[in-house]
Amino acid sequence: MAETNAILAWTLVSECPVPGDVTDLLVTGETAIAAYKTFRDAAIFTNKRLIVRDAQGFSGKKVEIYSLPYSSIFMWSSENGHGIFNVNSEIELWTKAGHIKVNLHKGLDVRRLDKLIAEAVLQATPA
């Protein structure tokens, strides 16, 4: 698991359009709900999973795609940023892949993503 620790934290900077190469990956019945620019890449929340597009190398032509189905999430937490020194929000996910932290810059709605994850995870859970 040590080799994946570097990929288990992302920072969302601002909303953006869904990248075309990610749109091509969506399966039947899957829709992109929100897309966010990271420092160099993009994170897309769909109705079924979180997709992170990771451009690599100097030119960025090599692209790695991470896909986290919501069904692999055991627990999550969300924290809204508040105050002068803590303006960023965050979501933490405990999954089959390990612990994942998603930081949100000021102005991004953490409650929107919290609700999206809740709806996806709780609807996927058998009664």
Side-chain angles (χ1 to χ4, degrees):
M1 183 85 158
E3 63 193 59
T4 61
N5 285 340
I7 66 166
L8 296 178
W10 294 291
T11 299
L12 309 183
V13 178
S14 60
E15 283 202 62
C16 69
V18 178
D21 58 343
V22 172
T23 301
D24 295 341
L25 298 174
L26 301 181
V27 299
T28 303
E30 183 176 23
T31 56
I33 298 172
Y36 296 89
K37 181 177 179 13
T38 63
F39 288 112
R40 183 173 175 181
D41 309 309
I44 298 84
F45 290 82
T46 77
N47 59 324
K48 297 184 180 287
R49 60 185 162 160
L50 167 60
I51 301 169
V52 177
R53 180 187 186 281
D54 181 16
Q56 300 178 347
F58 183 71
S59 67
K61 290 182 182 180
K62 181 179 179 183
V63 176
E64 188 168 6
I65 303 289
Y66 298 98
S67 179
L68 177 71
Y70 296 131
S71 61
S72 72
I73 298 173
F74 295 119
M75 183 176 87
W76 71 96
S77 69
S78 64
E79 178 182 299
N80 63 322
H82 186 324
I84 296 172
F85 299 109
N86 185 14
V87 295
N88 293 339
S89 301
E90 66 183 37
I91 292 180
E92 291 188 68
L93 308 170
W94 286 264
T95 74
K96 294 175 185 176
H99 185 218
I100 299 170
K101 189 171 186 176
V102 180
N103 297 301
L104 288 77
H105 271 209
K106 183 178 179 178
L108 296 180
D109 186 359
V110 68
R111 297 298 171 224
R112 175 182 178 203
L113 295 179
D114 190 12
K115 184 176 180 181
L116 184 153
I117 292 167
E119 287 177 348
V121 170
L122 298 175
Q123 288 178 6
T125 304

